[in-house]
């Protein structure tokens, strides 16, 4: 199983991690609980948890952009909040309670501010950013984060490689009763599936399924391998609700050929352009 450095830090993580927002949420089955050793036995050493997942039944957390925004609304400046967070994380690491820290859903500007604060006050900067990344959400991970990776060594730990299940094709004929979009609290997902943009995405997903068939893999395996091909992506977090999904998602393609990547880009028609390409 492939392992990569988390950003340019010395921490080695498996290229696939297990996210627990879904896995330990309301969809988890006893079967998944019984087979949690499966990813570990297959070389996975990254398990992403947070206190808010599954009503507090899990552990570590990243500082999210929502926390920054809520504090800003209370009148505190963003720069002051970021400095306090960097100081707090440095304290946690110096006390031996953690070895590294990262951010979740921060903008590139906020991450650079955290790095600048760390340099200015001899503190410890974040080593990675958690970001949503899949076929239909590309700009941040493909344009903004690679710049941060080269400048300050921040890696990307990405989540939702299957776009909340959209890419699996389960919503091609509507919203199944047992799916996440049909659950309480997921009205936003149901609206997304039924929107005009959602229908356009589902049409492209059907074509991607045909491509996956030609390559001898599943649509999910193709989507996960596609995420891993991106520069600066240290690990892709998987969210599964049953053991079959876990086994399938761990069986990723060994590599993505340039031809396959070009074919997917042409099919999607949404490849973002870097600043250099835009100037050219």
């Amino acid at each position: 199983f492939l392992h990569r450095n988390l950003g340019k830090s010395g921490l080695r993580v498996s290229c696939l991690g297990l996210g627990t927002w879904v896995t330990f949420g309301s969809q988890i089955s006893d079967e998944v609980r019984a087979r949690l050793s499966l990813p570990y036995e297959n070389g996975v050493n990254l398990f992403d948890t947070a206190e808010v997942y599954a009503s507090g039944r899990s552990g570590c957390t990243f500082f999210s952009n929502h926390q920054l925004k809520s504090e800003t609304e209370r009148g505190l400046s963003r720069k002051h909040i970021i400095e306090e967070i960097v100081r707090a994380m440095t304290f946690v690491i110096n006390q031996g309670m953690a070895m590294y820290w990262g951010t979740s859903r921060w903008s590139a500007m906020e991450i650079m501010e955290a790095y600048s604060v760390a340099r200015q006050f001899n503190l410890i900067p974040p080593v990675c950013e958690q970001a949503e990344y899949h076929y239909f959400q590309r700009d941040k991970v493909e344009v903004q984060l690679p710049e941060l990776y080269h400048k300050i060594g921040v890696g990307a730990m990405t989540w939702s490689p299957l776009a909340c299940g959209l890419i699996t094709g389960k919503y091609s004929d509507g919203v199944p009763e047992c799916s996440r979009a049909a659950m309480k609290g997921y009205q936003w997902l149901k609206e997304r599936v039924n929107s005009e943009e959602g229908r356009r995405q589902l049409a492209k997903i059907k074509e991607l399924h045909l491509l996956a068939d030609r390559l001898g893999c599943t649509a999910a395996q193709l989507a996960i391998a596609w995420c891993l091909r991106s520069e600066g992506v240290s690990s892709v977090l998987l969210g599964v609700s049953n053991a079959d999904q876990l086994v399938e998602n761990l069986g990723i393609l060994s590599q993505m050929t340039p031809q396959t990547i070009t074919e997917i880009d042409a099919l999607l028609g949404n490849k973002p352009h870097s600043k250099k390409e835009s100037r050219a």
Side-chain angles (χ1 to χ4, degrees):
F1 207 84
L2 289 175
H3 288 72
R4 300 175 175 180
N5 284 67
L6 188 56
K8 292 186 179 179
S9 75
L11 181 62
R12 297 283 288 176
V13 296
S14 49
C15 66
L16 295 181
L18 186 64
T20 58
W21 175 45
V22 173
T23 310
F24 291 125
S26 53
Q27 281 185 292
I28 188 171
S29 65
D30 291 335
E31 181 188 16
V32 173
R33 287 193 183 92
R35 297 189 66 175
L36 271 181
S37 60
L38 179 65
Y40 184 76
E41 290 168 356
N42 278 271
V44 172
N45 68 357
L46 177 58
F47 296 82
D48 172 62
T49 64
E51 285 87 346
V52 294
Y53 297 167
S55 303
R57 283 181 283 153
S58 50
C60 77
T61 187
F62 279 59
F63 278 98
S64 74
N65 191 263
H66 294 304
Q67 290 166 289
L68 279 181
K69 289 180 178 176
S70 63
E71 293 298 324
T72 304
E73 288 167 1
R74 287 171 48 193
L76 296 173
S77 73
R78 185 181 66 189
K79 187 173 182 179
H80 175 75
I81 297 163
I82 289 175
E83 182 180 330
E84 289 301 305
I85 290 173
V86 177
R87 288 186 182 278
M89 290 295 96
T90 300
F91 174 80
V92 166
I93 291 171
N94 287 340
Q95 292 295 309
M97 293 181 277
M99 294 180 67
Y100 304 90
W101 73 280
T103 57
S104 179
R105 303 175 75 177
W106 282 28
S107 69
M109 182 184 297
E110 288 162 347
I111 297 167
M112 276 303 301
E113 284 183 17
Y115 179 79
S116 298
V117 165
R119 288 289 299 270
Q120 182 179 355
F121 298 107
N122 195 29
L123 303 172
I124 300 172
V127 298
C128 71
E129 158 67 3
Q130 276 192 349
E132 182 178 3
Y133 184 47
H134 49 74
Y135 291 141
F136 309 110
Q137 184 86 18
R138 302 181 61 173
D139 285 35
K140 182 176 181 179
V141 171
E142 293 186 21
V143 177
Q144 299 171 28
L145 292 186
E147 290 185 16
L148 290 182
Y149 174 73
H150 289 294
K151 286 180 181 176
I152 62 176
V154 169
M157 187 187 297
T158 68
W159 49 276
S160 197
L162 306 182
C164 294
L166 203 71
I167 290 165
T168 65
K170 70 171 74 174
Y171 299 116
S172 296
D173 299 314
V175 177
E177 286 185 17
C178 60
S179 68
R180 201 186 321 175
M183 292 170 58
K184 184 179 179 181
Y186 286 89
Q187 182 63 29
W188 58 270
L189 181 54
K190 188 174 184 178
E191 290 173 357
R192 173 179 165 184
V193 170
N194 293 327
S195 69
E196 188 177 333
E197 179 64 19
R199 286 192 292 271
R200 281 198 295 268
Q201 290 176 354
L202 286 170
K204 291 181 178 181
I205 287 166
K206 285 184 179 179
E207 295 183 59
L208 288 163
H209 275 243
L210 295 175
L211 174 58
D213 289 342
R214 289 208 323 265
L215 294 172
C217 64
T218 68
Q221 291 169 339
L222 179 63
I224 292 165
W226 180 86
C227 291
L228 284 169
R229 106 247 174 259
S230 189
E231 181 186 27
V233 171
S234 302
S235 186
V236 173
L237 297 175
L238 308 175
V240 298
S241 55
N242 61 60
D244 288 339
Q245 289 178 3
L246 183 57
V247 172
E248 176 189 348
N249 292 354
L250 288 174
I252 59 170
L253 287 175
S254 57
Q255 63 178 6
M256 292 283 286
T257 66
Q259 181 182 350
T260 301
I261 293 169
T262 300
E263 190 170 350
I264 291 174
D265 280 337
L267 196 157
L268 293 172
N270 64 352
K271 183 179 179 180
H273 298 287
S274 66
K275 292 176 183 177
K276 291 179 181 178
E277 290 174 326
S278 298
R279 284 196 294 268

